[in-house]
Amino acid sequence: MDSHDMGGAPTVAVDRERVLDAAQLTIEDHSCPTCASGRVCDTMFFAAAVIELNHELREAAELQEGDEVMQRATERGRTEAVAQSLAVLGRTEGQYRSEADGDTSHLSFALAEALRSTALVIRSEVHNPTSRTALEIMARADEAYELAEYVRDVSSRYKDTKAEVAEALSSVAGDIEKGTEAVNRLQRASDISTPVDELAALARDTDADVRWWVAQNPSTATETLASSVMTERHPLVLTALLRNPRLPEDRVSLFVTHPHHDVALAARRRLGDPSGR
């Protein structure tokens, strides 16, 4: 051990490994009349105490490290669950809006608004690591596969009697299975603080749900919207683009005769065409 005076009480810098080695050597080599008589002398007592204390410190450090690993795994699972929830909510909201067809008194319109509010709450809770939601519990990463299989099983039961229900359930199952890979993209696409350059890249994402969030994000640049609407093929994403007030009207007018009813209707309504009412 090294000791030095700092101007007050002496301080001692202890090298833990050196002390441990000394304690182990003491137990191996020490001999004295007290030990020879069968009793434990003070030297052996303190040497054994040092070794025991070192063992306890190592166990405590391992437990702390294990807790940190568990915490990181929990956070990854929680983030994944949030993304899965947003994916399901986003797709379902889009379906309800299509059903409502712009009619604010329609039940589906109210359901779509409720889903949007829920999604906003979930996104806000991402910034609070202590928050938990029912959707998070239902969509935990370690249960995603089993949940998706269950939804597919339910879907198959409706296949012959209610094809639309079966299709919707199959879509939900696919969303649940998206998992970690889509986590960051879904969150970034829906976050109004995401930089415009990043939103421009996300507007070209292979996942239609990601593009759908970018299409309605108020932070998405006009140039990105104008470019996306000319290349987009998914009707729900197209509809979201046409409803975004930042999309120039000269681009909107190109879709008033679109073959998909909802897309054409969204364009006409955006332009104030009476036939879009």
Side-chain angles (χ1 to χ4, degrees), residues 94 97-103 212 215 229 234-245 247-249 251-277:
R97 291 197 185 280
S98 294
E99 291 176 7
D101 204 20
D103 183 358
W212 183 80
V229 79
H234 196 291
L236 287 178
V237 181
L238 268 176
T239 301
L241 286 165
L242 293 169
R243 287 174 176 165
N244 193 317
L247 179 68
E249 290 192 356
R251 295 297 174 94
V252 178
S253 61
L254 299 174
F255 293 86
V256 293
T257 58
H258 194 277
H260 194 284
H261 173 266
D262 293 337
V263 174
L265 190 62
R268 292 197 296 270
R269 282 180 175 163
R270 170 72 189 281
L271 296 173
D273 188 330
S275 64
R277 296 184 182 279

Side-chain angles (χ1 to χ4, degrees), residues 160-219:
D160 297 328
T161 57
K162 295 183 179 180
E164 292 182 359
V165 173
E167 183 180 354
L169 288 172
S170 294
S171 177
V172 169
D175 287 330
I176 293 173
E177 279 191 325
K178 281 180 181 176
T180 306
E181 185 179 346
V183 172
N184 188 57
R185 303 200 314 276
L186 282 167
Q187 289 180 336
R188 301 296 289 170
S190 62
D191 192 341
I192 60 174
S193 64
T194 299
V196 292
D197 290 345
E198 187 176 347
L199 288 172
L202 290 168
R204 300 187 296 272
D205 197 276
T206 57
D207 187 344
D209 287 326
V210 172
R211 301 198 305 275
W212 183 80
W213 280 110
V214 173
Q216 58 185 341
N217 191 325
S219 296

Side-chain angles (χ1 to χ4, degrees), residues 6 8 14 16 26 31 38 47 61 68 89 104 115 151 153 165 182 189 198 223 236 244 272:
M6 297 295 290
V14 179
R16 179 171 160 185
T26 297
S31 63
E68 291 174 354
L89 287 171
T104 57
L115 288 172
V151 173
D153 181 56
V165 173
E198 187 176 347
E223 295 78 8
L236 287 178
N244 193 317

Side-chain angles (χ1 to χ4, degrees), residues 104-143:
T104 57
S105 63
H106 197 288
L107 175 60
S108 292
F109 185 88
L111 290 172
E113 290 295 302
L115 288 172
R116 168 59 64 83
S117 298
T118 303
L120 290 172
V121 170
I122 291 176
R123 289 203 302 278
S124 69
E125 288 177 345
V126 172
H127 303 292
N128 180 4
T130 63
S131 66
R132 293 180 63 83
T133 67
L135 280 172
E136 172 192 343
I137 296 171
M138 293 177 64
R140 286 298 299 269
D142 56 354
E143 298 172 357

